[in-house]
Amino acid sequence: MNEAETRAEHIDPALKGAGWGVVEGSRIHREYPITLGRIEGHGKRGKALTADYVLVYRSHKLAVIEAKAWDEPLTLGVAQAKDYAGKLAVRFTYASNGQGIYGIDMQTGKESEQPHYPSPDELWNLTFADQNAWRDRFGRRALRRQGWIFPGPLLPGHRH
């Protein structure tokens, strides 16, 4: 089973089961562009960096997931996942081959196999353990992207 099949048949359903893309305010960005690629000269660039998944909740990037093919070792994507997490400045990153999930906390350095992906609320609470009223308010505000409006009040009682 190649990487695309592993993602479609195993990783996507596991993320949905954890509430990603289901819980209001959560989004799964697939093939998320990180960099355009190194400038090589003569108007050419090297290969662009693209994360397999970026998990977003309340308008904040919370985690990166690097997927590998079913028959590859679980930890094969760990270095790549750490690199992407560092470039995107997210605390949590995961590597998966569809058979298991290997999680890394970039802040504490803790690494271990995980039984499942965290839900959007679990990952939010792990990332933002300290309460911040302004961050929470702006995380719920409406976003305008490409002509679409994603609902959510900026301030209590505020209308669009």
Side-chain angles (χ1 to χ4, degrees):
M1 183 179 306
N2 66 28
E3 182 180 316
E5 292 169 330
T6 299
R7 289 171 59 180
E9 295 177 23
H10 299 283
I11 298 173
D12 288 351
L15 288 170
K16 186 176 181 180
W20 290 98
V22 178
V23 172
E24 185 178 342
S26 69
R27 297 180 57 113
I28 302 170
H29 292 279
R30 292 169 182 84
E31 300 296 325
Y32 188 87
I34 298 172
T35 67
L36 297 175
R38 188 178 67 166
I39 297 173
E40 295 179 342
H42 304 290
K44 296 184 181 182
R45 289 188 173 267
K47 186 178 179 193
L49 292 181
T50 304
D52 290 326
Y53 298 90
V54 172
L55 303 179
V56 177
Y57 186 49
R58 298 181 183 173
S59 304
H60 291 273
K61 291 185 282 288
L62 299 182
V64 175
I65 301 172
E66 180 56 32
K68 293 297 176 192
W70 180 265
D71 57 348
E72 298 289 351
L74 175 61
T75 57
L76 181 64
V78 168
Q80 199 173 354
K82 286 180 176 181
D83 181 43
Y84 294 169
K87 286 180 177 9
L88 292 173
V90 297
R91 179 174 172 181
F92 294 97
T93 188
Y94 301 90
S96 180
N97 61 2
Q99 299 179 58
I101 302 164
Y102 192 82
I104 301 107
D105 182 335
M106 299 290 287
Q107 184 175 330
T108 66
K110 183 180 175 188
E111 300 183 18
S112 64
E113 283 193 47
Q114 306 291 310
H116 54 79
Y117 291 105
S119 71
D121 284 318
E122 289 170 340
L123 198 54
W124 178 267
N125 291 332
L126 287 169
T127 303
F128 301 114
D130 298 327
Q131 296 295 318
N132 182 319
W134 284 106
R135 180 190 57 237
D136 293 343
R137 280 185 180 168
F138 283 105
R140 289 191 304 263
R141 75 185 258 286
L143 295 177
R144 294 181 186 271
R145 300 240 172 127
Q146 298 174 355
W148 292 89
I149 298 176
F150 298 95
L154 176 61
L155 299 170
H158 180 265
R159 294 184 179 235
H160 304 291

